[in-house]
């Protein structure tokens, strides 16, 4: 039985001092021993957030990192900078990073490899545009994203990965995918992992759905056979995140 993982993606929201306030508000609301809870916060607030969640079951994740070890990459943050302060997870290849910061399947793959090299768990994002869905190429497109993201990733590491399926048309739009649409793609992702590796790896890997998840939609989504939790944007900054984390109560 895969353990559910529910992660908040704060995006470019909240200053470090606002982070302290929000975490103290959310802490009592996200206490669910049955699930892994992760807050992915802006890089500048990582240290503050790690301090603020001490003594709770909440883990802290970054929203991005660079694929090189160190060097002349002004403005970037490396994997070992993240692990040095106690970061456990890192979102890789979010559609906003692909759209606005020129991330590609190839850079996603390099980042996934680097994250594993340093013992970070990547939350590997994939998802189609509305046009791709309408053209009927969703599964082809997602399979390509997954196959490239996992190039040269060992079977042991693949088992530990988290994949977030986030249809771009559902992100921040209030337009959540239907449970059937979300389950169909998450199932296809698991089948793709089984093809690349084996059934045991496919059974172990955790696949989240993301895109306008709310307290109202979480229970039905997370009840699907291939959906092991969610990557939550807007609602992760609100008390509603407590309802999402406690979807099973
Ligand atoms: P949303 O964002 O929940 O606000 O749609 C999800 C995400 O981008 O990870």
């Amino acid at each position: 039985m895969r353990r559910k993982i529910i992660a908040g993606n704060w995006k470019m929201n909240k200053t470090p001092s606002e982070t302290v306030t929000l975490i103290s508000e959310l802490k009592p609301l996200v206490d669910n021993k049955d699930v892994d809870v992760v807050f992915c916060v802006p890089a500048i607030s990582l240290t503050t957030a790690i301090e603020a969640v001490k003594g709770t079951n909440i883990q802290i994740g970054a929203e991005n990192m660079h694929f090189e070890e160190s060097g002349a990459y002004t403005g970037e943050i490396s994997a070992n900078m993240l692990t040095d302060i106690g970061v456990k997870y890192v979102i890789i290849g979010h559609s906003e990073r692909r759209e606005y910061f020129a991330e590609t399947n190839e850079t996603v793959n390099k980042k996934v490899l680097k994250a594993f090299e340093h013992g970070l768990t990547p939350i590997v994002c994939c998802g189609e545009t509305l046009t791709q869905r309408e053209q009927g190429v969703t599964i082809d497109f997602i399979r390509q994203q997954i196959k490239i993201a996992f190039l040269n990733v060992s079977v042991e590491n693949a088992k530990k990965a988290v994949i977030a399926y986030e249809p771009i048309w559902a992100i921040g739009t209030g337009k959540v995918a239907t449970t059937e649409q979300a389950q169909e793609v998450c199932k296809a992702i698991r089948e793709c992992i089984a093809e690349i590796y084996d059934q045991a790896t496919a059974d172990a890997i955790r696949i989240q759905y993301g895109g306008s998840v709310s307290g109202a939609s979480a229970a039905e989504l997370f009840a699907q056979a291939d959906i092991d939790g969610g990557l939550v944007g807007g609602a992760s900054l609100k008390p509603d995140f407590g309802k999402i984390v406690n979807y099973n109560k």
Side-chain angles (χ1 to χ4, degrees):
M1 189 62 188
R2 291 180 296 271
R3 192 174 155 82
K4 295 269 195 271
I5 175 161
I6 298 168
N9 173 10
W10 288 20
K11 308 194 181 187
M12 196 174 72
N13 292 297
K14 305 296 172 188
T15 64
S17 41
E18 287 167 348
T19 296
V20 176
T21 311
L22 181 59
I23 289 181
S24 67
E25 275 168 29
L26 292 181
K27 249 190 328 200
L29 308 178
V30 298
D31 189 17
N32 183 354
K33 299 277 178 288
D34 305 333
V35 306
D36 289 339
V37 180
V38 186
F39 289 178
C40 298
V41 306
I44 198 165
S45 300
L46 286 167
T47 308
T48 310
I50 284 166
E51 197 55 41
V53 300
K54 279 212 171 116
T56 73
N57 62 333
I58 305 163
Q59 304 274 16
I60 297 300
E63 298 177 10
N64 178 38
M65 56 163 237
H66 198 264
F67 51 77
E68 291 293 351
E69 193 59 34
S70 64
Y73 302 99
T74 303
E76 291 293 318
I77 289 172
S78 70
N80 70 343
M81 292 174 192
L82 297 178
T83 53
D84 186 69
I85 59 163
V87 172
K88 301 283 187 230
Y89 292 86
V90 57
I91 299 174
I92 303 284
H94 189 279
S95 59
E96 288 150 18
R97 298 232 34 109
R98 294 177 191 253
E99 181 173 358
Y100 307 125
F101 302 97
E103 293 210 15
T104 62
N105 289 339
E106 287 71 26
T107 61
V108 168
N109 176 236
K110 287 186 189 178
K111 290 181 180 197
V112 170
L113 290 166
K114 186 54 77 177
F116 277 126
E117 194 182 312
H118 287 271
L120 284 161
T121 300
I123 299 176
V124 187
C125 299
C126 60
E128 82 287 2
T129 61
L130 189 56
T131 310
Q132 287 164 333
R133 178 159 284 275
E134 286 168 355
Q135 290 169 339
V137 298
T138 296
I139 305 282
D140 299 313
F141 182 74
I142 303 276
R143 282 172 57 86
Q144 183 171 358
Q145 287 186 317
I146 295 298
K147 283 191 168 179
I148 300 175
F150 282 83
L151 270 178
N152 300 319
V153 173
S154 71
V155 63
E156 297 76 33
N157 283 335
K159 284 191 175 113
K160 291 184 248 161
V162 177
I163 295 173
Y165 165 56
E166 300 200 303
I168 294 169
W169 48 271
I171 294 177
T173 56
K175 212 171 154 191
V176 63
T178 65
T179 47
E180 292 75 21
Q181 288 170 327
Q183 163 58 21
E184 185 198 15
V185 179
C186 290
K187 179 167 178 273
I189 293 170
R190 204 176 299 287
E191 286 166 359
C192 184
I193 293 292
E195 273 172 47
I196 304 170
Y197 298 97
D198 49 35
Q199 194 55 45
T201 309
D203 290 341
I205 204 164
R206 293 188 289 177
I207 305 174
Q208 300 173 315
Y209 166 79
S212 300
V213 175
S214 67
S217 58
E220 200 181 316
L221 284 164
F222 301 168
Q224 303 304 303
D226 291 293
I227 302 182
D228 306 314
L231 182 57
V232 184
S236 72
L237 301 166
K238 302 188 192 127
D240 197 36
F241 194 59
K243 287 205 193 108
I244 298 172
V245 170
N246 289 291
Y247 74 96
N248 61 341
K249 301 282 164 75

